């Protein structure tokens, strides 16, 4: 596995699979994959989202993509940095190539255009003992789908720019940004971390959030290096894990 190539030197394109993340994990477990390998599918029959949710996407309209990364040189406590790298890469592509305004990262790893989600990221890690050996970074980016029947808070590239794009073209561009930011992760993780916070949805603003069954108001201060969402409620500043709180978007 230690053999590493730049991200996207080898791309496996599938017409149908359960999940590109599952496929990547299977290749890894069979010793059939090296870092940098990308998997792309036109259709997923069991696309996976965060927190056990399903990821639904119209066939051939959107990017369904996973990349395998070697994480042996990273300490396990820095898992959040890899998440930041993936989020920044998608945001970078949407802001700087497609010039979409109001791109932000909704903690921990949703990419938003205005008040709507345009991409989601699911990272699955292989950890052996104390060593973080590799990770599968799964990215779902909405490109040419215009209607999202079950999701009123979703958008796509075409809905934001008015222009259809070839999915493979967007994938190649994304790979470029992933390579750039993966290098930044290796060279200057502090800068990467600052970038993440600078792109954070609602940073410095008053937000409503749900904690257990309570709705609370607080100021979103930022995200800590451990990936905790820091909220100031009254005089209390507290860092929360992913499942502990949920931001409410009005
Ligand atoms: C989320 O926002 O809930 C994360 C969505 C991640 C979806 C992508 S699509 C490609 C890859 N394969 C999967 O099964 N999931 C990720």
């Amino acid at each position: 596995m230690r053999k590493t190539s730049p991200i996207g030197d080898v791309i496996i394109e599938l017409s149908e699979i359960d999940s590109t993340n599952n496929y990547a994990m299977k290749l890894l477990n069979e010793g059939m994959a090296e870092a940098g390998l990308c998997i792309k599918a036109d259709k997923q029959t069991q696309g996976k989202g965060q927190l056990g949710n399903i990821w639904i996407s119209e066939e051939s309209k959107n990017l369904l993509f996973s990349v395998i990364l070697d994480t042996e040189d990273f300490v396990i406590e820095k898992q959040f940095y890899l998440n930041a790298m993936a989020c920044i890469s998608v945001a970078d592509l949407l802001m700087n190539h497609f010039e979409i305004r109001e791109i932000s990262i909704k903690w921990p790893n949703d990419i938003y255009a205005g008040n709507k989600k345009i991409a989601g990221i699911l990272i699955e890690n292989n950890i052996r003992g104390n060593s973080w050996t590799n990770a599968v970074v799964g990215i779902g980016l909405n490109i040419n789908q215009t209607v999202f029947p079950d999701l009123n808070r979703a958008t796509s590239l075409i809905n934001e720019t008015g222009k259809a794009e070839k999915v493979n073209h967007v994938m190649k561009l994304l790979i470029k940004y992933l390579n750039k930011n993966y290098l930044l992760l290796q060279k200057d993780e502090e800068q990467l971390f600052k970038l993440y916070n600078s792109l954070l949805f609602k940073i410095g603003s008053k937000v409503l959030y749900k904690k257990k069954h309570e709705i609370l108001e607080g100021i979103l201060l930022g995200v800590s290096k451990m990936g905790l969402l820091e909220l100031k409620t009254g005089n209390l500043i507290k860092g929360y894990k992913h499942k502990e709180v949920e931001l409410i978007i009005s």
Side-chain angles (χ1 to χ4, degrees):
M1 173 64 194
R2 282 264 42 172
K3 192 168 172 320
T4 296
S5 310
I7 297 169
D9 258 16
V10 181
I11 303 170
I12 299 178
E13 296 191 33
L14 306 163
S15 49
E16 181 176 323
I17 194 72
D18 55 348
S19 147
T20 55
N21 268 31
N22 287 354
Y23 188 85
M25 266 302 172
K26 192 164 163 275
L27 288 184
L28 265 174
N29 294 335
E30 288 166 354
M32 300 288 285
E34 68 182 47
L37 177 70
C38 298
I39 324 285
K40 178 230 156 194
D42 294 334
K43 179 179 173 187
Q44 291 186 135
T45 52
Q46 284 174 62
K48 299 191 290 186
Q50 287 286 332
L51 308 176
N53 291 322
I54 47 168
W55 185 257
I56 302 171
S57 169
E58 264 179 45
E59 186 168 351
S60 303
K61 293 268 172 93
N62 304 317
L63 181 62
L64 304 167
F65 173 89
S66 299
V67 53
I68 294 171
L69 294 175
D70 183 331
T71 49
E72 260 181 69
D73 292 336
F74 303 136
V75 289
I76 221 158
E77 290 75 22
K78 295 252 169 102
Q79 282 182 45
F80 181 69
Y81 283 63
L82 187 69
N83 175 63
M85 185 293 283
C87 290
I88 289 166
S89 299
V90 179
D92 212 355
L93 163 75
L94 297 173
M95 290 186 305
N96 298 321
H97 185 85
F98 292 105
E99 300 184 334
I100 302 179
R101 284 176 301 141
E102 282 191 72
I103 289 292
S104 64
I105 301 168
K106 181 174 161 279
W107 173 82
N109 42 23
D110 289 343
I111 312 301
Y112 268 56
N115 266 354
K116 292 184 169 177
K117 179 162 166 173
I118 189 165
I121 292 165
L122 177 69
I123 301 183
E124 296 181 85
N125 296 302
N126 271 326
I127 294 168
R128 268 187 222 116
N130 259 345
S131 150
W132 181 19
T133 49
N134 47 53
V136 172
V137 178
I139 300 174
L141 168 60
N142 298 332
I143 300 179
N144 294 317
Q145 185 168 338
T146 52
V147 184
F148 297 88
D150 302 320
L151 306 161
N152 55 1
R153 290 215 166 273
T155 189
S156 58
L157 209 45
I158 194 169
N159 282 359
E160 297 303 313
T161 63
K163 199 170 162 270
E165 298 290 342
K166 290 212 166 80
V167 174
N168 273 12
H169 171 63
V170 179
M171 175 179 70
K172 297 263 165 66
L173 290 167
L174 176 63
I175 286 171
K176 194 180 93 186
Y177 285 99
L178 282 166
N179 273 307
K180 170 184 154 196
N181 290 303
Y182 189 55
L183 213 64
L184 186 61
L185 172 65
Q186 287 157 310
K187 292 221 163 87
D188 191 351
E189 56 183 40
E190 284 312 302
Q191 199 198 331
L192 194 95
F193 177 69
K194 281 192 193 138
L195 253 170
Y196 179 92
N197 266 310
S198 74
L199 289 169
L200 198 63
F201 184 72
K202 300 272 185 215
I203 188 158
S205 310
K206 231 181 230 171
V207 290
L208 287 178
Y209 64 96
K210 197 165 148 191
K211 189 177 155 205
K212 293 197 175 124
H213 301 294
E214 249 186 315
I215 307 278
L216 297 163
E217 189 183 86
I219 298 184
L220 196 157
L221 299 177
V223 171
S224 73
K225 291 186 173 162
M226 293 301 285
L228 304 182
L229 183 70
E230 293 182 332
L231 290 165
K232 183 173 180 203
T233 310
N235 285 329
L236 182 75
I237 297 178
K238 215 176 157 236
Y240 295 96
K241 285 194 209 134
H242 189 184
K243 288 161 215 171
E244 282 180 321
V245 287
E246 187 192 329
L247 286 184
I248 296 174
I249 301 166
S250 50

